[in-house]
Amino acid sequence: MYWTLELASYLEDAPWPATRDELIDYAMRSGAPLEVIENLQEMEDEGEVYDVIEDIWPDYPRKDDFLFNEDEY
């Protein structure tokens, strides 16, 4: 299983909190690439509910991680 920023971005608007099966369903309905669905299927399913994308990919960058000043534009 591997995540990239592009693949993880397909889950940004997912209905959080969600189970693994709900995320797989969302990814299929939203037209996410096959790699996203495969990554979700490879996760161990213990009935856990994920609150945010960081629960799946802890290194997921947030807006605060970028040095970009929106007020300048």
Side-chain angles (χ1 to χ4, degrees), residues 2-72:
Y2 68 94
W3 287 102
T4 64
L5 185 56
E6 180 183 358
L7 292 178
S9 69
Y10 286 95
L11 297 177
E12 279 185 342
D13 295 329
W16 303 101
T19 63
R20 181 186 78 128
D21 290 338
E22 290 170 336
L23 291 172
I24 291 170
D25 181 57
Y26 172 80
M28 285 195 261
R29 287 185 293 109
S30 65
L34 184 58
E35 291 88 352
V36 173
I37 297 165
E38 288 173 350
N39 283 347
L40 292 169
Q41 289 174 336
E42 288 180 21
M43 293 171 34
E44 292 183 23
D45 186 18
E46 299 173 6
E48 185 177 348
V49 175
Y50 301 98
D51 293 318
V52 291
I53 195 165
E54 285 89 354
D55 291 346
I56 295 170
W57 187 33
D59 295 332
Y60 184 75
R62 287 293 185 189
K63 265 187 165 180
D64 299 341
D65 294 336
F66 297 102
L67 299 173
F68 180 75
N69 188 352
E70 292 178 359
D71 296 334
E72 290 181 8

